[in-house]
Amino acid sequence: MNRNTALLIHFNDLRLTDHRVLAEAISLSDVVYTLVVIDPETALESAFGIAKMSPRRLGWYLNAVKDLRESYRAIGGDLIVRLGKAEDVVKDMISA
């Protein structure tokens, strides 16, 4: 029986435990791709040219993404990390 392929995009919820959407995707799909998109324009600048993330906050966020990837790898999965606008990255992944 062929079910579905799911794409889970981690925005702010950078964890595996107690993640209802991830659990649902795993239960309903044969394959689950997990993704974090880092948009430099959104993360680093606001409309007024002021940094949204301080260097310290950006460092924390990147370490959290690294930890999430390591958590996925520890259970036999992986985390796709891409740089760019989320809508462009997702569109490219779907069309590939």
Side-chain angles (χ1 to χ4, degrees):
M1 177 168 119
N2 186 5
R3 297 191 307 178
N4 296 318
T5 298
L7 175 62
L8 173 69
I9 305 170
H10 287 273
F11 289 100
N12 295 319
D13 197 358
L14 301 177
R15 63 195 170 104
L16 293 180
T17 58
D18 192 34
H19 195 300
R20 281 184 43 195
V21 175
L22 177 59
E24 190 77 11
I26 291 169
S27 72
L28 295 174
S29 305
D30 293 322
V31 177
V32 178
Y33 294 100
T34 57
L35 172 69
V36 168
V37 180
I38 301 169
D39 182 347
E41 193 173 300
T42 302
L44 301 177
E45 289 186 16
S46 73
F48 305 106
I50 299 169
K52 279 188 170 182
M53 285 190 185
S54 68
R56 175 179 271 168
R57 172 121 171 99
L58 181 59
W60 175 89
Y61 181 77
L62 294 175
N63 278 328
V65 170
K66 178 180 162 267
D67 290 345
L68 181 62
R69 177 181 262 176
E70 289 172 358
S71 295
Y72 272 113
R73 288 179 175 171
I75 61 169
D78 206 353
L79 176 67
I80 303 164
V81 180
R82 295 289 184 263
L83 195 61
K85 292 199 167 293
E87 58 269 21
D88 295 336
V89 171
V90 171
K91 193 183 323 178
D92 290 345
M93 288 186 71
I94 291 171
S95 65

XYZ file of all heavy atoms in Angstrom:
752
model
N 0.834 -1.174 0.000
C 0.000 0.000 0.000
C 0.884 1.244 0.000
O 1.722 1.423 0.859
C -0.885 -0.017 1.238
C -1.745 1.198 1.376
S -2.976 0.923 2.649
C -2.542 2.202 3.770
N 0.708 2.084 -0.980
C 1.472 3.317 -1.085
C 0.736 4.436 -0.372
O -0.369 4.786 -0.737
C 1.699 3.678 -2.551
C 2.609 4.869 -2.712
O 3.158 5.382 -1.748
N 2.768 5.300 -3.930
N 1.363 4.963 0.666
C 0.733 6.069 1.378
C 1.306 7.367 0.842
O 1.304 7.563 -0.366
C 0.930 5.905 2.871
C 0.228 4.637 3.360
C 0.139 4.496 4.824
N 1.406 4.630 5.523
C 1.530 4.573 6.821
N 0.492 4.383 7.569
N 2.694 4.691 7.399
N 1.801 8.227 1.665
C 2.240 9.542 1.234
C 3.680 9.816 1.618
O 4.255 9.162 2.461
C 1.362 10.622 1.892
C -0.074 10.527 1.463
O -0.353 10.302 0.303
N -0.984 10.687 2.389
N 4.209 10.850 0.995
C 5.479 11.421 1.402
C 5.152 12.745 2.071
O 4.362 13.525 1.565
C 6.388 11.658 0.181
O 6.658 10.393 -0.420
C 7.690 12.315 0.582
N 5.756 12.985 3.220
C 5.486 14.214 3.966
C 6.739 15.078 4.026
O 7.863 14.570 4.039
C 5.025 13.881 5.379
N 6.514 16.369 4.062
C 7.588 17.340 4.261
C 7.245 18.129 5.518
O 6.228 18.824 5.566
C 7.717 18.272 3.057
C 8.721 19.418 3.194
C 10.139 18.876 3.389
C 8.651 20.321 1.974
N 8.076 18.003 6.537
C 7.889 18.729 7.789
C 8.912 19.855 7.840
O 10.114 19.612 7.783
C 8.081 17.802 8.989
C 8.079 18.489 10.340
C 6.680 19.002 10.664
C 8.576 17.570 11.421
N 8.417 21.071 7.936
C 9.299 22.235 8.013
C 9.348 22.698 9.460
O 8.329 23.048 10.041
C 8.801 23.369 7.102
C 8.632 22.869 5.668
C 9.759 24.553 7.160
C 7.922 23.838 4.758
N 10.531 22.670 10.026
C 10.732 23.187 11.382
C 10.924 24.696 11.269
O 11.849 25.158 10.608
C 11.988 22.577 12.027
C 11.838 21.156 12.422
N 11.327 20.771 13.641
C 12.154 20.006 11.768
C 11.338 19.455 13.733
N 11.829 18.968 12.596
N 10.045 25.442 11.909
C 10.207 26.892 11.949
C 10.830 27.280 13.287
O 12.008 27.582 13.360
C 8.873 27.599 11.712
C 8.386 27.476 10.298
C 7.413 26.558 9.956
C 8.922 28.261 9.297
C 6.969 26.432 8.657
C 8.491 28.150 7.988
C 7.509 27.240 7.674
N 10.067 27.249 14.324
C 10.584 27.608 15.645
C 10.642 26.420 16.588
O 11.272 26.498 17.631
C 9.713 28.701 16.277
C 9.792 29.982 15.492
O 10.847 30.374 15.034
N 8.660 30.637 15.332
N 10.006 25.333 16.241
C 9.921 24.162 17.107
C 11.055 23.202 16.750
O 10.865 22.253 15.994
C 8.555 23.503 16.936
C 8.221 22.555 18.054
O 9.067 22.376 18.944
O 7.114 21.999 18.032
N 12.225 23.467 17.285
C 13.421 22.706 16.920
C 13.656 21.569 17.904
O 14.638 21.529 18.630
C 14.640 23.638 16.875
C 14.546 24.807 15.898
C 15.784 25.686 16.001
C 14.347 24.318 14.472
N 12.727 20.600 17.895
C 12.836 19.452 18.798
C 12.152 18.244 18.171
O 11.360 18.371 17.249
C 12.211 19.767 20.145
C 10.729 20.052 20.049
C 10.216 20.714 21.312
N 8.862 21.188 21.079
C 7.773 20.597 21.537
N 7.863 19.495 22.255
N 6.591 21.089 21.292
N 12.488 17.080 18.702
C 11.853 15.840 18.262
C 10.821 15.344 19.265
O 9.785 14.825 18.880
C 12.904 14.733 18.089
C 13.919 14.898 16.979
C 14.863 13.699 16.966
C 13.254 15.050 15.650
N 11.115 15.499 20.541
C 10.224 14.963 21.564
C 8.957 15.799 21.679
O 8.997 17.021 21.524
C 10.927 14.912 22.932
O 11.369 16.213 23.278
C 12.103 13.964 22.897
N 7.853 15.115 21.925
C 6.564 15.769 22.113
C 6.223 16.709 20.951
O 5.787 17.839 21.157
C 6.552 16.516 23.450
C 5.149 16.957 23.825
O 4.186 16.232 23.510
O 5.016 18.037 24.424
N 6.460 16.241 19.747
C 6.201 17.044 18.535
C 5.043 16.384 17.789
O 5.239 15.430 17.040
C 7.464 17.090 17.670
C 7.449 18.142 16.622
N 6.514 18.197 15.625
C 8.279 19.197 16.430
C 6.767 19.221 14.848
N 7.823 19.855 15.318
N 3.830 16.872 18.009
C 2.625 16.236 17.453
C 2.633 16.166 15.935
O 2.217 15.161 15.355
C 1.374 16.983 17.911
C 0.960 16.633 19.307
C -0.314 17.288 19.727
N -1.334 17.263 18.693
C -2.419 18.017 18.716
N -2.617 18.845 19.717
N -3.309 17.941 17.753
N 3.079 17.211 15.277
C 3.076 17.222 13.812
C 4.040 16.172 13.273
O 3.715 15.454 12.320
C 3.408 18.625 13.270
C 3.519 18.618 11.760
C 2.362 19.638 13.726
N 5.208 16.050 13.880
C 6.170 15.024 13.461
C 5.598 13.629 13.673
O 5.678 12.774 12.784
C 7.482 15.190 14.226
C 8.563 14.148 13.952
C 8.956 14.123 12.477
C 9.766 14.406 14.835
N 4.996 13.388 14.827
C 4.395 12.079 15.106
C 3.300 11.760 14.090
O 3.200 10.622 13.604
C 3.839 12.046 16.527
N 2.493 12.731 13.763
C 1.417 12.538 12.785
C 1.983 12.242 11.392
O 1.510 11.348 10.695
C 0.529 13.785 12.744
C -0.733 13.617 11.950
C -1.808 12.823 12.680
O -1.664 12.560 13.880
O -2.789 12.474 12.021
N 3.008 12.984 10.998
C 3.633 12.755 9.689
C 4.213 11.348 9.603
O 4.051 10.655 8.593
C 4.718 13.799 9.433
N 4.864 10.903 10.662
C 5.447 9.558 10.684
C 4.354 8.495 10.603
O 4.483 7.506 9.884
C 6.330 9.365 11.932
C 7.584 10.237 11.812
C 6.688 7.906 12.132
C 8.392 10.327 13.091
N 3.249 8.712 11.308
C 2.191 7.699 11.316
C 1.422 7.637 10.000
O 0.881 6.593 9.660
C 1.228 7.946 12.482
O 0.431 9.088 12.245
N 1.372 8.722 9.256
C 0.575 8.758 8.022
C 1.383 8.601 6.744
O 0.800 8.482 5.668
C -0.205 10.081 7.948
C -1.263 10.300 9.021
C -1.844 11.698 8.903
C -2.351 9.241 8.931
N 2.707 8.599 6.840
C 3.530 8.645 5.631
C 4.562 7.529 5.611
O 5.039 7.082 6.650
C 4.247 9.995 5.560
O 3.314 11.047 5.627
N 4.902 7.119 4.395
C 5.985 6.151 4.225
C 7.345 6.824 4.364
O 8.291 6.226 4.855
C 5.885 5.494 2.846
C 4.658 4.620 2.731
O 4.306 3.942 3.716
O 4.030 4.634 1.653
N 7.449 8.068 3.892
C 8.698 8.821 3.922
C 8.398 10.205 4.488
O 7.426 10.845 4.090
C 9.294 8.971 2.501
C 10.555 9.805 2.515
C 9.557 7.609 1.882
N 9.242 10.648 5.422
C 9.104 11.992 5.981
C 10.433 12.717 5.792
O 11.471 12.257 6.266
C 8.742 11.959 7.477
C 8.662 13.379 8.040
C 7.433 11.216 7.706
N 10.394 13.813 5.067
C 11.550 14.686 4.922
C 11.384 15.819 5.926
O 10.307 16.385 6.059
C 11.644 15.262 3.509
C 11.923 14.224 2.460
C 10.903 13.718 1.680
C 13.215 13.744 2.260
C 11.155 12.754 0.710
C 13.477 12.778 1.305
C 12.440 12.287 0.534
O 12.689 11.333 -0.420
N 12.468 16.127 6.639
C 12.413 17.216 7.604
C 13.351 18.327 7.139
O 14.425 18.056 6.598
C 12.805 16.730 9.008
O 14.102 16.149 8.961
C 11.799 15.711 9.512
N 12.923 19.543 7.349
C 13.598 20.685 6.735
C 13.636 21.874 7.684
O 12.662 22.158 8.379
C 12.830 21.069 5.464
C 13.199 22.346 4.721
C 14.573 22.215 4.065
C 12.147 22.670 3.674
N 14.761 22.575 7.681
C 14.886 23.896 8.282
C 15.392 24.813 7.188
O 16.363 24.488 6.497
C 15.874 23.914 9.472
C 16.202 25.340 9.886
C 15.310 23.157 10.652
N 14.714 25.934 7.001
C 15.138 26.924 6.016
C 15.589 28.166 6.777
O 14.834 28.715 7.578
C 14.003 27.295 5.045
C 14.495 28.330 4.031
C 13.481 26.060 4.328
N 16.804 28.573 6.514
C 17.334 29.791 7.122
C 17.321 30.866 6.052
O 18.029 30.771 5.052
C 18.752 29.563 7.668
C 18.729 28.443 8.712
C 19.319 30.856 8.245
C 20.094 27.951 9.133
N 16.475 31.852 6.256
C 16.345 32.963 5.313
C 17.174 34.128 5.842
O 16.777 34.780 6.802
C 14.873 33.365 5.180
C 14.648 34.477 4.173
O 15.640 35.121 3.747
O 13.482 34.717 3.830
N 18.331 34.389 5.237
C 19.195 35.452 5.753
C 18.496 36.815 5.779
O 18.704 37.596 6.697
C 20.380 35.485 4.789
C 20.304 34.254 3.989
C 18.901 33.742 4.072
N 17.677 37.058 4.801
C 16.988 38.351 4.734
C 16.028 38.518 5.909
O 15.962 39.571 6.539
C 16.227 38.446 3.410
C 15.740 39.826 3.084
C 15.163 39.873 1.694
O 15.897 39.587 0.732
O 13.966 40.199 1.576
N 15.289 37.477 6.218
C 14.335 37.541 7.324
C 15.036 37.470 8.675
O 14.682 38.194 9.602
C 13.322 36.383 7.210
O 12.672 36.488 5.953
C 12.306 36.435 8.311
N 16.031 36.613 8.801
C 16.696 36.415 10.094
C 17.592 37.586 10.468
O 17.729 37.901 11.648
C 17.517 35.131 10.059
N 18.188 38.219 9.484
C 19.211 39.207 9.797
C 18.768 40.654 9.667
O 19.415 41.543 10.195
C 20.446 38.968 8.926
C 21.071 37.581 9.078
C 22.239 37.418 8.131
C 21.500 37.333 10.513
N 17.693 40.920 8.938
C 17.272 42.297 8.751
C 15.771 42.443 8.911
O 15.018 41.536 8.596
C 17.650 42.796 7.353
C 19.114 43.014 7.143
C 19.398 43.641 5.795
O 18.465 44.182 5.165
O 20.549 43.586 5.377
N 15.365 43.582 9.386
C 13.943 43.921 9.396
C 13.691 44.897 8.253
O 14.600 45.237 7.499
C 13.558 44.566 10.732
O 14.087 45.876 10.796
N 12.487 45.356 8.148
C 12.133 46.303 7.094
C 12.935 47.596 7.218
O 13.098 48.324 6.258
C 10.645 46.596 7.139
N 13.452 47.876 8.404
C 14.181 49.120 8.633
C 15.692 48.934 8.608
O 16.434 49.837 8.959
C 13.742 49.730 9.968
C 12.263 49.940 10.041
C 11.472 49.119 10.818
C 11.649 50.943 9.300
C 10.101 49.295 10.879
C 10.279 51.131 9.340
C 9.503 50.304 10.136
N 16.145 47.748 8.224
C 17.571 47.489 8.132
C 18.242 47.193 9.465
O 19.458 47.184 9.570
N 17.448 46.939 10.490
C 17.978 46.626 11.818
C 17.971 45.101 11.984
O 16.988 44.447 11.661
C 17.114 47.287 12.915
C 17.131 48.803 12.728
C 17.605 46.890 14.295
C 16.112 49.530 13.574
N 19.060 44.572 12.505
C 19.169 43.116 12.658
C 18.064 42.587 13.566
O 17.835 43.107 14.643
C 20.532 42.752 13.218
N 17.354 41.546 13.097
C 16.331 40.889 13.914
C 16.972 39.981 14.946
O 16.445 39.800 16.031
C 15.395 40.059 13.038
C 14.323 40.836 12.358
C 13.363 39.885 11.695
C 12.145 40.608 11.207
N 11.192 39.699 10.602
N 18.085 39.371 14.565
C 18.785 38.464 15.479
C 20.154 39.053 15.776
O 20.909 39.355 14.855
C 18.968 37.086 14.852
C 17.754 36.226 14.791
S 18.239 34.551 14.293
C 16.653 33.780 14.159
N 20.443 39.144 17.045
C 21.789 39.564 17.435
C 22.748 38.426 17.080
O 22.318 37.282 16.873
C 21.835 39.837 18.933
O 21.669 38.623 19.654
N 24.037 38.714 17.022
C 24.988 37.622 16.769
C 24.848 36.484 17.786
O 24.961 35.316 17.434
C 26.349 38.312 16.878
C 26.071 39.730 16.495
C 24.689 40.016 17.043
N 24.568 36.819 19.036
C 24.409 35.795 20.081
C 23.174 34.941 19.789
O 23.215 33.720 19.877
C 24.286 36.452 21.443
C 24.000 35.440 22.538
C 23.912 36.101 23.869
N 25.266 36.108 24.416
C 25.644 36.793 25.455
N 24.796 37.579 26.066
N 26.867 36.715 25.897
N 22.061 35.567 19.457
C 20.814 34.831 19.160
C 20.988 33.973 17.911
O 20.539 32.836 17.871
C 19.653 35.793 18.978
C 18.398 35.121 18.479
C 17.247 35.305 19.428
N 15.998 34.845 18.839
C 15.471 33.655 19.096
N 16.050 32.833 19.922
N 14.339 33.292 18.540
N 21.629 34.513 16.886
C 21.874 33.742 15.670
C 22.741 32.527 15.973
O 22.475 31.426 15.494
C 22.520 34.616 14.592
C 22.804 33.940 13.271
C 21.536 33.383 12.620
C 23.504 34.908 12.316
N 23.772 32.715 16.801
C 24.626 31.590 17.199
C 23.838 30.526 17.938
O 23.999 29.325 17.687
N 22.952 30.956 18.843
C 22.099 30.020 19.571
C 21.213 29.246 18.600
O 21.082 28.025 18.694
C 21.232 30.773 20.586
C 20.258 29.869 21.267
C 20.460 29.146 22.401
C 18.930 29.550 20.826
N 19.338 28.397 22.692
C 18.383 28.632 21.736
C 18.152 29.954 19.743
C 17.100 28.111 21.605
C 16.875 29.440 19.605
C 16.360 28.530 20.536
N 20.599 29.958 17.655
C 19.692 29.324 16.693
C 20.447 28.300 15.834
O 19.976 27.175 15.634
C 19.039 30.384 15.808
C 18.071 29.818 14.814
C 16.800 29.417 15.202
C 18.420 29.668 13.472
C 15.904 28.880 14.298
C 17.536 29.127 12.559
C 16.276 28.742 12.982
O 15.403 28.206 12.077
N 21.599 28.668 15.337
C 22.371 27.738 14.503
C 22.813 26.514 15.303
O 22.820 25.399 14.769
C 23.572 28.457 13.884
C 23.219 29.552 12.883
C 24.481 30.285 12.425
C 22.449 29.011 11.691
N 23.160 26.689 16.570
C 23.495 25.538 17.416
C 22.280 24.650 17.654
O 22.402 23.421 17.687
C 24.086 25.995 18.755
C 25.551 26.321 18.637
O 26.277 25.732 17.855
N 25.993 27.288 19.422
N 21.104 25.261 17.805
C 19.878 24.479 17.982
C 19.574 23.664 16.726
O 19.158 22.505 16.811
C 18.704 25.400 18.323
N 19.800 24.249 15.550
C 19.602 23.519 14.292
C 20.600 22.366 14.200
O 20.235 21.245 13.820
C 19.727 24.466 13.077
C 19.767 23.687 11.770
C 18.575 25.473 13.059
N 21.839 22.617 14.566
C 22.868 21.556 14.569
C 22.471 20.427 15.519
O 22.577 19.242 15.163
C 24.209 22.153 14.978
C 25.340 21.170 15.062
C 26.624 21.901 15.476
C 27.632 20.946 15.982
N 27.614 20.755 17.429
N 21.999 20.770 16.708
C 21.564 19.757 17.669
C 20.383 18.953 17.141
O 20.312 17.730 17.335
C 21.187 20.401 19.006
C 22.380 20.938 19.769
O 23.526 20.583 19.427
O 22.155 21.737 20.707
N 19.449 19.630 16.476
C 18.294 18.936 15.901
C 18.745 17.947 14.828
O 18.281 16.808 14.783
C 17.297 19.940 15.321
C 16.026 19.355 14.713
C 15.207 18.595 15.750
C 15.188 20.472 14.084
N 19.674 18.369 13.975
C 20.193 17.469 12.935
C 20.858 16.255 13.572
O 20.643 15.116 13.143
C 21.180 18.207 12.026
C 21.803 17.287 10.984
C 22.773 18.005 10.113
N 22.076 18.353 8.879
C 22.614 19.066 7.918
N 23.823 19.556 8.036
N 21.927 19.298 6.821
N 21.637 16.478 14.618
C 22.297 15.362 15.308
C 21.266 14.425 15.950
O 21.457 13.203 15.953
C 23.273 15.893 16.350
C 24.501 16.537 15.729
C 25.392 17.254 16.729
O 25.058 17.300 17.937
O 26.428 17.783 16.302
N 20.176 14.988 16.474
C 19.115 14.162 17.056
C 18.461 13.287 15.995
O 18.186 12.106 16.237
C 18.053 15.047 17.718
O 18.591 15.735 18.811
N 18.178 13.858 14.833
C 17.615 13.050 13.746
C 18.581 11.949 13.323
O 18.180 10.803 13.113
C 17.283 13.923 12.530
C 15.909 14.528 12.564
C 15.727 15.894 12.682
C 14.768 13.731 12.461
C 14.453 16.454 12.707
C 13.503 14.270 12.494
C 13.348 15.633 12.609
O 12.091 16.169 12.635
N 19.848 12.288 13.186
C 20.837 11.291 12.758
C 20.996 10.176 13.785
O 21.239 9.026 13.418
C 22.169 11.970 12.461
C 22.099 12.788 11.179
C 23.381 13.491 10.861
N 23.278 14.157 9.557
C 24.161 14.989 9.087
N 25.251 15.278 9.786
N 23.986 15.553 7.905
N 20.842 10.503 15.052
C 20.971 9.499 16.104
C 19.871 8.444 16.027
O 20.062 7.319 16.505
C 20.953 10.165 17.482
N 18.740 8.770 15.425
C 17.637 7.803 15.291
C 17.490 7.299 13.853
O 16.480 6.724 13.496
C 16.304 8.390 15.805
C 15.896 9.616 15.003
C 16.381 8.677 17.286
C 14.475 10.094 15.279
N 18.516 7.561 13.019
C 18.513 7.026 11.661
C 17.882 7.933 10.623
O 17.668 7.517 9.488
N 17.609 9.157 10.972
C 17.033 10.102 10.015
C 18.034 11.176 9.653
O 19.238 11.013 9.845
N 17.523 12.270 9.140
C 18.379 13.406 8.823
C 17.526 14.657 8.761
O 16.298 14.582 8.702
C 19.115 13.205 7.497
C 20.423 13.997 7.433
O 20.703 14.799 8.350
O 21.172 13.815 6.465
N 18.171 15.785 8.795
C 17.518 17.082 8.698
C 18.137 17.818 7.528
O 19.354 17.969 7.455
C 17.717 17.882 9.990
C 17.165 19.304 10.006
C 15.636 19.284 9.935
C 17.633 20.056 11.242
N 17.309 18.252 6.614
C 17.773 19.050 5.486
C 17.815 20.498 5.944
O 16.837 21.014 6.470
C 16.817 18.895 4.281
C 16.693 17.423 3.883
C 17.271 19.761 3.117
C 15.503 17.128 2.981
N 18.948 21.149 5.751
C 19.098 22.557 6.113
C 19.441 23.319 4.843
O 20.396 22.976 4.155
C 20.203 22.762 7.177
C 20.347 24.236 7.535
C 19.914 21.931 8.415
N 18.623 24.317 4.543
C 18.821 25.114 3.334
C 18.814 26.594 3.681
O 18.162 27.027 4.624
C 17.724 24.840 2.304
C 17.727 23.427 1.754
C 18.935 23.197 0.838
N 18.907 21.892 0.243
C 19.562 20.834 0.706
N 20.280 20.931 1.791
N 19.487 19.675 0.093
N 19.513 27.359 2.863
C 19.581 28.801 2.992
C 18.768 29.425 1.867
O 18.920 29.024 0.706
C 21.049 29.225 2.875
C 21.452 30.606 3.297
C 21.161 30.830 4.768
C 22.931 30.823 3.020
N 17.878 30.338 2.187
C 17.078 31.010 1.162
C 15.690 31.323 1.680
O 15.405 31.190 2.862
N 14.840 31.744 0.780
C 13.436 32.012 1.128
C 12.689 30.681 1.204
O 12.820 29.841 0.318
C 12.795 32.912 0.094
C 13.347 34.322 0.091
C 12.365 35.234 -0.600
C 12.725 36.669 -0.345
N 12.567 37.071 1.035
N 11.910 30.508 2.257
C 11.229 29.228 2.491
C 10.387 28.819 1.294
O 10.420 27.661 0.869
C 10.367 29.309 3.748
N 9.632 29.755 0.723
C 8.759 29.387 -0.400
C 9.559 28.917 -1.611
O 9.138 27.999 -2.315
C 7.823 30.536 -0.781
C 8.503 31.819 -1.171
C 8.737 32.797 -0.028
O 8.756 32.391 1.147
O 8.909 33.988 -0.310
N 10.741 29.499 -1.849
C 11.574 29.064 -2.973
C 12.196 27.695 -2.708
O 12.242 26.837 -3.591
C 12.688 30.091 -3.244
C 12.151 31.431 -3.709
O 11.023 31.472 -4.264
O 12.853 32.444 -3.516
N 12.669 27.486 -1.480
C 13.292 26.212 -1.129
C 12.276 25.073 -1.233
O 12.551 24.021 -1.819
C 13.910 26.270 0.291
C 14.357 24.894 0.744
C 15.067 27.258 0.322
N 11.078 25.290 -0.691
C 10.041 24.248 -0.729
C 9.621 23.976 -2.170
O 9.487 22.812 -2.577
C 8.830 24.642 0.143
C 7.667 23.691 -0.068
C 9.234 24.674 1.606
N 9.459 25.002 -2.956
C 9.081 24.835 -4.365
C 10.133 24.007 -5.100
O 9.807 23.099 -5.870
C 8.927 26.198 -5.039
C 8.245 26.133 -6.384
C 8.150 27.477 -7.101
C 7.898 28.657 -6.224
N 7.850 29.936 -6.934
N 11.416 24.303 -4.860
C 12.502 23.547 -5.487
C 12.498 22.089 -5.044
O 12.715 21.181 -5.858
C 13.857 24.166 -5.167
C 14.081 25.495 -5.860
O 13.314 25.827 -6.812
O 15.002 26.224 -5.460
N 12.228 21.836 -3.767
C 12.210 20.459 -3.270
C 11.050 19.669 -3.870
O 11.211 18.512 -4.223
C 12.102 20.446 -1.748
C 13.373 20.888 -1.057
S 13.275 20.695 0.709
C 13.325 18.905 0.843
N 9.913 20.293 -3.992
C 8.738 19.604 -4.536
C 8.928 19.280 -6.015
O 8.533 18.221 -6.482
C 7.460 20.438 -4.313
C 7.132 20.465 -2.822
C 6.289 19.907 -5.112
C 6.039 21.426 -2.447
N 9.562 20.183 -6.747
C 9.727 19.975 -8.191
C 10.883 19.042 -8.516
O 11.010 18.589 -9.645
C 9.893 21.309 -8.915
O 11.097 21.936 -8.506
N 11.738 18.742 -7.530
C 12.902 17.865 -7.795
C 12.505 16.417 -7.908
O 11.539 15.943 -7.464
C 13.932 18.043 -6.688
